[in-house]
Amino acid sequence: MKTLIPTTLLAVFAFLATSDAAQPIVRRLEPLGVVRGETSKLILHGERLGDASQILLDRDGLTVTEVKPLDDSRVEVTITAEADTDPGLYPLQLVTRSGISNLRLLGVGAMRIVQDVEPNSDFDSAQAIELNRTVEGVIKYEDVDYFSVTLEADQLIHVEAEGIRLSYSLNNQIFDPYIAVLDAGKFELVSSDDSSLLQQDALLAFKAPQAGTYRIMLRDSSFSGHDGAHYRLHVGTYPRPIAVIPAGNQPGELLAATLVHLTGNGDEMTTTSAQVQLPSDSVDRFPVVTKSESGISPSPNWIRVNNLPVTIETEPNDDMAKPNAVTIADPNQPTAALCGVIGSDNDIDYFALDCKAGQKILVKAFARNILRSPLDTVVNCYGPDRKSLVGNDDNGRQPDSFAEFTAAADGLHIIRITDSLRRGGPAFAYRIEARIAEPVLGLDRKEMDRDEALGVAVPRGGLMAMMVTAKREYFGGELKLDLTDLPAGITATTFPMSESANEVPVFLSAAADAADGASLVNVSAVPTNPALAPLGIAGNLSLRHRLMLGQNRVDMWGYDSNRLAVSVADAAPFKVFVDQPGTPIVRSGSKELKVRIERNEGFEGEVSLVTLYNPPGVGVNNGRKIAKGKNEVLIPITANGGAAIGNWPMAMIARYDTGKGQGKIVTLPITLEVQDSAFKFEFPRVAGELGTELPLAVGVEVMRPFIGTCEVELVGIPSGVTCAASKQTVAPETTSILFPLTIAADAKVGTHKTLHCVATIRSDAGDIVQTQGVGEIRVDQPLPPKVDAPAAAPESVPAAPPAAKPLSRLEQLRQMNK
Amino acid sequence: MKPLNHFTASALAALLLFIAAAPLRAVEPNETSVAPQNPPVIPEFAIYPPQITLDSARDSQSFVATMTRDDGVTLDISDRVEWSIAGNAVASIHGMTLLPVADGTAELIARYNGATRKVNVTTSNAATRFPISFEKDVMPVLTRSGCNTGSCHGAARGKDGFRMSLFGFDPAGDYQRITREIGVRRINLAIPEESLFLKKSLGTVPHSGGKRFAADSPYHDVMLEWLRDGALADPADKKPPAVASVAIYPPQAVLEGSGAKQRFVAVATYADGTTRDVTNLAAFSTNNPTTAQIDDRGNVIAGSRGEAYVMARFDTHTVGSQVLVLPTDLQYTAPEITGNYIDELVGKKLQQLRLEPSPLCSDEEFLRRATIDITGLLPTAAEYAVFMADVAADKRGVLVDQLLQRKEFSEIWAMKFAQLLMIKSSNDVSYKSAFLYANWLTDQFARNVPLDEMVRALLGSSGGTFTNPETNFFEMERDTLKTAENVAQVFMGIRTQCAQCHNHPFDRWTMNDYYGFAAFFAQVSRKSAEDYREKIVFNRFSGETKHPVTGQNMVPKFLGGETPDCRGKDRREVLAQWLTAPGNPYFATSIANRVWAHFTGVGLVDQVDDNRASNPSSNPELFDTLGTKLVEYKFDFRRLVQDICASQAYQRSTATNASNESDLRNYSHATVRRIPAESLLDCLSQATGAMEKFRGLPLGASAVQIADGSTSTYFLTAFGRAPRVTVCDCEATTDPSLSQALHLLNGDSVHRKIQQGGLVNKLVDEEKKSSDEVVRAIYVRCLSRQPSDDELTQLQSAIAAAPEAKQGLEDAFWAILNSREFVFNH
């Protein structure tokens, strides 16, 4: 048995390998971060990296000068971080000639990097480090890492752990760092597990009570580390604000901000002032990096920059009768941002917003979202009569509140904000944005394969496609899509997204001579209805790169981007086409699509076909393949009785084995026309006895004229029943079809709800097939002949003597002894 | 009772002679086994009840007289006493019962052997026969007759088509069912005697329950009169008063010899101040029928030597009286009581029971016992050497103080509470939550946070289950009713579960009490936190508990206490304040009893979480005193542990003498206790030097430190580790089983650990010890004692027979770890 286990395991691994897509995967960065102002060599570890060619960067501040594959699992990247690059996380995606990798975050810091050196898992074997260093390491299962630092009396240090923020795991392998500072007596003087600012990552400030050596301990909060639990631990005297107040202003402003800091003295906090130059455009999430003579914060704080006029809270405003008046730019437009702090336990802040009757107002709180404030908002809105209109604690799984109300009367409406547990403190910052409900358009990209990396690699000389979905709020109508910044040699074909649909395919084709290249592409959409033009509705693609999934695939950490990676990939070894059908598909109808491939010399592999998407109500058989040696296959499709009538672009994705995984290419789109049913059949309920004949008259209504001939076939006839003329021709004026049924003497008795009519209209352009049921036929047993006298009782037979009971061996032995 | 001093058998005989010589009515030959002689000049006797009120023409009151001999033995002398009425002729004596004659006051006088005792008698409404009340008169008859028990009509679906509320918790519903169901059959107002309700009770028609009472019984009279009067319900505006209290007399009986008798009288007092003789309406029971049996008329017959509580249950009240049964030919010299306050109270009880305590244990035994009890580990060889060499008189106390400072002490108690609080990961509670909760608990004990403060933090907790791990209390059990039950059981030692569906049959708790208490937790709410593994527990300041019978919202009411004003407050905080207040009668005693039970093997109230009227403490005074001390110590239970460990009761030997060998509950000797599963595994790891590995904890973490109740090993499960499914203290068992023995013998724990630890190799190869020295080291390591010469000789011959000396030594090590002495704390 011993040899069986490895063999079985091997088989499993082999299966996994072939079932993976050919997309490259980056599992780990080594090192996890770089130092700004330096050029660093970075090794990307992963799979299918041997043909890596480029790195795509979604943020400015880094420059890649070389991408050098070392082998199929390692790529060396030479990267330079400019000296003024803000410390923080920088997303990168690796482009290879066969695909685009998952997105990973690279840390950029200002402090020297030190590698964790084992053994340092005991208090006594702590690794000595200097201050103002970033330690990189890994917390394996039940591992603990200790570092020792020497501090002067009253010296303040910050320790920030980046753990989950550097993670990549889609299978519930969470790394949740816990840090503590211990004195010589092994007492934890201060510790941190989760922090609202950094989610599951930890942050602490420590002021040394006396000069000496202190240990910094890092572990998983419940000893659940693993080989992928890598961290960066920033230890130093750098400033580390935990809140910026007010949390944003209008573009181009110089924000006079108050920064809230930990003091290292329990929960005590202190504040400093800062001037923050805001960007000239609106930014949903703007990083504020704090710098002082003692260092620079290793990760930014986040605020919002947009055109809303800001009202800053002024205490006292914890009485509904004395709210802060909200500044609005236009007396008819009650849109504003309210910034403040729930400064202490039981604090409540009230604002008065002047609204006009009939205005629908959306009130959205930003606290945990963007600002990463500890505040768990509760927002309540009251009318001018002080009667409650609406209240909200959490919005879905988000602790931030969202409320909407329609003003019933002109006047000052009150917005109340507090913490759900009535807690408060200097860092409990918030920003409330009140807006009039306006049309909003959001775009997303539909995932085609579970956990696929977000990027489109277009095979040279071929096509790839993606499905773009739209979310329209407060408007409707058709949308037009546009893609810009495509790599050279790639062109996009878009179709209008119909009013009734919320998704549409976008096709990208690469010229046969397109050079290697990749870029981050903007995808946007606008309504086509000119009447909506004055509203300036436009939507951009918003992508969520999931980096950490918990149990049941709960999204715990990810990166949001509004640009999509697109690259030119190696050509596919075949060309693939779907033949444009000459006839439409009707509701309750079916059709076969012919898919053909033209194989390149040497390609003999199997090609499997799945639909890019299904038009509403249309079903496609996704199990068909073009086998080795074949060049075409028919794909059955069906339309249900409610399929959406209209013309729909359709395409098939062809998947094939590249030798390193699965390759994909998309067919040119065809237009599938969906029409209403051509016929309506009415089935009578009929019954007949065994051995009789039974005529079945099916009513027909021809819904609209047709070209060609039409034949109707009765199918689903039960066993033992036959029809001499199961196929009959239908003319436009036909109202009934008579199917003569013969019920054999041995037919299956019972009710059979299986009868269907299949109507086929044949013309030069092709067939149109419609299938409709369900007719019911009951097959009866003839009644038995009447019996007058009871049958004579059978002659009684004397009962046979009971057979001797078989004896067990023990009983036999007993008998012998008697 | 008077404290007993030294007395001897001859003194006893003299006393008995005196009683026999008393010139009184004829005494039944078997009433006392020895005829009393040489009467005392003034006999010590009392009559009960201490006050008699007769409130209507229907009222009556039985009475009883008991005499207490100098040796504490009590005798029922009711029929030897001369009874008379002094003053106005307001009542008359019929046998042992007083009946009203006219309104007024008088005195019931008892004369016995020259002594006189008087009881005030007050009569009112002596000529008034109040109409029969359904709730006050009929319901008690039904309950007394057993009609509404769970096996009869009180079953959830009733019996044979007739349902009543269990033990009568819903009189209005019962009235409805009796009078309104099945038309005229159940009651027949035209011919009341023909009511099926009555005929079934008399057994004159077929009845599964048989005959419940006779036609000439007072029960029948009450029922018939009620039917004749029209089977009326009590008017809503004139409900009969509730029963305020019940008393059983005499409060204590010390019976001598098997067959001795004592009659008891039960009296109920109503909310309006009226009283009622309920001796013929109460249900009598005993918690120890081999020592004292009681019949349904309150007559107790003594059985074998021991202690029993006889109890009377009437309405929702259960009251008990202690009955001690002593042998007749007892040779007993009461030892001098020395030691601390615990010993005084234990000693008093032992004297009462005439038990002789065992002597104190040896230093070796004390060292091992205290170390295991306080730290869950064995004393090390070094600790053994230091302790044994110490000649100081107070070295035991010093040892206890040292042990209490060790972190293992906190860990043991954190584990015990983790069991009670059911700390366990599940689909709803993430491992991290369970881990943080257990860590919080350990930290509370390590920092010596007073228990009241800890419980207040726990019950009033709000916030995230990660950021405020104590909020997990409301995550481990989310059901409001069960949370309330758990709080009562864990922190008050009271099991209220019965009262969820009906009034508690053996305790005072009613459904009103139950739902009133549950209302404290009705406003606990939860929501998801940002991290999906975390929940936020908060008080939503709205939400009520409904009484399932009345459908009414219940106002929060303390169990056995008042109804506090909770408006605008977090009800849980109000409850926590009351619970942990120094005057609370349940909290401190319950916690102290748990501590006591940990160190002595059996609680004063046993089970420790089943404190009820029908399961009284074996030493009520000590039970109360330990609670008082805990309050005095500001809930620092380390100080209580110091007291307990300093007591002789704790330090006694496990060896028994003839008088105390059957004593299990009075601490006359120490009990031999199987070491709890986690500690046993830790001791095994410690003795062998082979560390265990548990999920989610670093190598070397002890079994006691396991945070998550869902983490277990075969060893722990086999040895009765608590699965943490309920809050019951009984979940962790130390009952022996075959699988335990087989696991130690054949399983991998002992053998693997001996191999892994490599102790013998170390002792032989590194420390160059001789075979004798190795055996001695193993003895000290495992059993904290030196081997006897006999043991040494036998082991050495076995070792010599082994093919290799080291193997022989390992075999000896294995044998010692498999000995009963190792797995027991003694």
Side-chain angles (χ1 to χ4, degrees), chain A residues 250-262:
Chain A
Q250 292 173 315
E253 295 276 331
L254 188 64
L255 178 74
T258 302
L259 306 178
V260 182
H261 306 262
L262 296 166

Side-chain angles (χ1 to χ4, degrees), chain B residues 749-767:
Chain B
S749 288
V750 175
H751 180 70
R752 174 177 54 84
K753 279 179 172 291
I754 289 173
Q755 298 300 319
Q756 269 179 7
L759 178 73
V760 171
N761 280 340
K762 196 173 142 215
L763 292 174
V764 174
D765 297 343
E766 292 175 22
E767 300 185 19

Side-chain angles (χ1 to χ4, degrees), chain A residues 573 599-604:
Chain A
R599 295 174 184 271
N600 289 359
E601 190 74 28
F603 177 69
E604 291 176 353

